[in-house]
Amino acid sequence: MMKDAGAGGRDRPGLSRERVLRKALELADRDGIAALSIRSLAQELGTKPMTLYYYVANKDQILDGLVDLVFIEIATPEAGGEWKEQMRRRAHSAREALRRHPWAVGLLESRKAPGPATLKHHEATLGTLRAAGFTVQQTARAYSLLDSYIYGFALQEAALPIAGSEPMAEVAGPIMERFATGEYPHMVEIATQVVMQPGYDYGNEFAYGLELILDALEPAPADQEP
Amino acid sequence: MMKDAGAGGRDRPGLSRERVLRKALELADRDGIAALSIRSLAQELGTKPMTLYYYVANKDQILDGLVDLVFIEIATPEAGGEWKEQMRRRAHSAREALRRHPWAVGLLESRKAPGPATLKHHEATLGTLRAAGFTVQQTARAYSLLDSYIYGFALQEAALPIAGSEPMAEVAGPIMERFATGEYPHMVEIATQVVMQPGYDYGNEFAYGLELILDALEPAPADQEP
DNA sequence: AAGGGTATCGTACAGTGTACGGAGACGGAA
DNA sequence: TTCCGTCTCCGTACACTGTACGATACCCTT
């Protein structure tokens, strides 16, 4: 059997691995990664479950593909420009991508097969650092440090129930009741004086840590201990 | 029916929520978090699946409990000592705990109900920073920065297939074949000159970034822009 | 006409979390 | 004693998951 254009699904000018992954991305963003099943994905594509396995070996490959799609969205640094500015751009871009797709952070832990976009992104970043005068060792360390911060921040951001409008306030509220007993004074302090302030957005704190790290990183000599 | 001591399971002097969570931790460490199912957990405890639901509302609560168990393992800083030393201890302790339980990092993203140990740990850390002279704002930022780095590093460590003995080398090898074409020169450079070196252990890089961050953090004045 | 590649799908199976309700053992109250 | 709750444990059943296996239909080449 072969139902090409316009048989089952409405606008389906031929399935493809690309289309499957794109729809998976859309579904993950809309309903969360937990709701992304082969069956729901197939239905959304106007197909039957087993059809997807023609384009994808298994669900793990879909998840791998999702992570790679997210990496596509991250600005690639160039070897030419000011390295700090390049790293800044990359970091902010990465954080924004991971905030658009919070589930991607949790996925990173279990992925073992980096996709082409991921590899290209890493390669470009390493290249920028090397071109700026970092030694191989320094590059590895700087990269590890920057990426750790980016991923870690994204992880914490993802762990906060974001919902739609008010980022905080309704999150801290219910928890607060539990320990109105004064058991956690410092957390209450932070919550009331920082987090629950009207215009507060945790995402803005990202720049603080990033600049602190960038200020401390320098290519040339530095670490004498190899 | 009530089978108390020594009926079905061998050494089972009465089930308890604590025992359930402990066994879940053991199973997650041994077989991975994906293999932790209600059924397998029940069997390991010498019980039947539905019995667990007397001690736990649902599987999500088990996962919450697991995360809290991990936090118990992290050294709690004290408000008295040198704050940098306290934070250093805490950071290393956290990294080690997350390396012992790599699945915990991926779990963090989806947890919304922090357990008592988690809360106590956060409270103690905040208290140490405040006692060292950090303002509320500075405390929030420093905490965010340190935790982001810790979690991010742990995430990257978890993403590397650790296996048993040799941490690297067999990881980079198979991937390397794919791009022996010279498409990713900088990654090859890093891999050959750093990662695949005999005594290399990525975990040691943790201290580098941590010290860099600790050196740049200082309580008193600093940021004039509120 | 025969064969092979491309694409789609039906059926079935083992496994998952858990809702629902029942059953035995215990304590105390009547 | 009888009765009633509470505690602990579990059997059954249901909807859902990923996917192995094989069938089917179409097109293109030989």
Side-chain angles (χ1 to χ4, degrees):
Chain A
M1 197 207 312
M2 170 182 171
K3 48 162 75 172
D4 52 306
R10 43 192 82 259
D11 49 343
R12 181 155 61 91
L15 231 34
S16 71
R17 185 187 164 97
E18 173 79 10
R19 263 177 59 74
V20 169
L21 292 180
R22 282 286 168 205
K23 203 59 161 187
L25 182 75
E26 184 187 325
L27 258 184
D29 285 341
R30 207 187 58 194
D31 304 332
I33 194 73
L36 176 66
S37 71
I38 297 286
R39 283 171 171 85
S40 65
L41 181 54
Q43 179 159 8
E44 208 80 11
L45 285 164
T47 325
K48 299 303 156 66
M50 290 315 291
T51 300
L52 303 188
Y53 286 92
Y54 181 75
Y55 300 97
V56 159
N58 47 40
K59 189 178 179 181
D60 240 53
Q61 269 197 11
I62 295 184
L63 299 182
D64 285 342
L66 284 185
V67 171
D68 213 45
L69 279 184
V70 172
F71 267 92
I72 290 180
E73 297 183 14
I74 303 178
T76 302
E78 298 155 23
E82 246 300 311
W83 72 268
K84 280 200 189 187
E85 180 54 27
Q86 296 290 327
M87 288 303 116
R88 195 174 358 246
R89 254 173 49 83
R90 179 187 93 96
H92 278 112
S93 173
R95 181 186 91 76
E96 284 156 18
L98 289 174
R99 195 169 41 116
R100 279 192 297 269
H101 316 292
W103 41 264
V105 189
L107 240 45
L108 283 178
E109 178 243 337
S110 52
R111 293 310 101 194
K112 315 206 165 281
T118 307
L119 292 174
K120 248 168 224 140
H121 177 82
H122 287 162
E123 176 67 18
T125 307
L126 294 174
T128 302
L129 289 176
R130 291 288 284 123
F134 284 81
T135 67
V136 182
Q137 271 245 9
Q138 286 173 331
T139 298
R141 289 178 164 180
Y143 195 41
S144 163
L145 171 53
L146 283 169
D147 266 28
S148 291
Y149 178 63
I150 294 169
Y151 294 152
F153 192 93
L155 181 64
Q156 300 209 69
E157 232 179 343
L160 303 174
I162 316 170
S165 43
E166 320 289 319
M168 300 288 175
E170 71 268 22
V171 180
I175 298 180
M176 212 85 90
E177 302 168 4
R178 190 93 49 78
F179 50 104
T181 59
E183 197 175 354
Y184 305 104
H186 296 109
M187 296 192 64
V188 173
E189 190 183 50
I190 293 269
T192 55
Q193 295 185 36
V194 180
V195 178
M196 298 181 76
Q197 288 301 312
Y200 181 78
D201 181 0
Y202 177 62
N204 294 336
E205 306 284 27
F206 181 70
Y208 163 75
L210 178 62
E211 295 305 322
L212 183 144
I213 290 174
L214 285 178
D215 280 351
L217 281 179
E218 220 52 61
D223 49 318
Q224 289 88 331
E225 15 76 63
Chain B
M1 197 206 313
M2 171 187 173
K3 48 163 77 173
D4 50 306
R10 42 192 83 259
D11 51 344
R12 180 155 62 91
L15 232 35
S16 72
R17 186 186 164 98
E18 173 78 11
R19 264 178 58 74
V20 169
L21 291 180
R22 282 287 168 204
K23 202 60 158 185
L25 182 75
E26 184 187 325
L27 259 183
D29 285 340
R30 207 186 58 195
D31 305 332
I33 194 72
L36 176 67
S37 71
I38 297 288
R39 284 171 170 84
S40 66
L41 180 54
Q43 179 159 10
E44 207 79 11
L45 285 163
T47 325
K48 299 302 156 69
M50 289 314 291
T51 301
L52 304 187
Y53 285 92
Y54 181 73
Y55 299 98
V56 159
N58 47 43
K59 189 178 179 179
D60 240 53
Q61 269 197 11
I62 295 183
L63 300 183
D64 285 342
L66 284 185
V67 171
D68 213 47
L69 279 184
V70 172
F71 267 91
I72 290 181
E73 297 183 14
I74 303 178
T76 303
E78 298 156 22
E82 247 299 313
W83 72 267
K84 280 199 188 185
E85 180 53 27
Q86 296 289 326
M87 287 304 115
R88 191 168 8 239
R89 253 173 49 83
R90 179 186 94 96
H92 278 113
S93 173
R95 180 186 90 77
E96 284 158 16
L98 289 174
R99 195 169 40 115
R100 278 192 296 271
H101 315 290
W103 41 263
V105 190
L107 240 45
L108 283 177
E109 178 244 337
S110 52
R111 294 308 100 194
K112 313 205 166 288
T118 307
L119 291 174
K120 248 167 223 141
H121 177 83
H122 286 164
E123 176 67 18
T125 307
L126 294 175
T128 302
L129 289 176
R130 292 287 284 121
F134 284 81
T135 68
V136 182
Q137 272 245 9
Q138 286 174 330
T139 298
R141 290 179 166 179
Y143 194 40
S144 162
L145 171 54
L146 283 169
D147 267 29
S148 292
Y149 178 61
I150 294 169
Y151 294 153
F153 192 93
L155 181 65
Q156 300 208 69
E157 231 178 344
L160 304 175
I162 317 172
S165 43
E166 319 291 318
M168 301 289 175
E170 71 268 24
V171 179
I175 299 181
M176 210 87 87
E177 302 169 3
R178 192 93 51 75
F179 49 103
T181 59
E183 196 174 356
Y184 306 104
H186 296 108
M187 296 192 64
V188 172
E189 188 183 51
I190 293 270
T192 54
Q193 295 185 36
V194 180
V195 177
M196 297 182 77
Q197 288 301 311
Y200 182 78
D201 182 358
Y202 177 62
N204 295 337
E205 306 283 27
F206 182 69
Y208 163 76
L210 177 62
E211 295 304 323
L212 183 145
I213 290 173
L214 286 178
D215 281 351
L217 282 178
E218 220 51 62
D223 49 317
Q224 289 90 328
E225 14 75 62

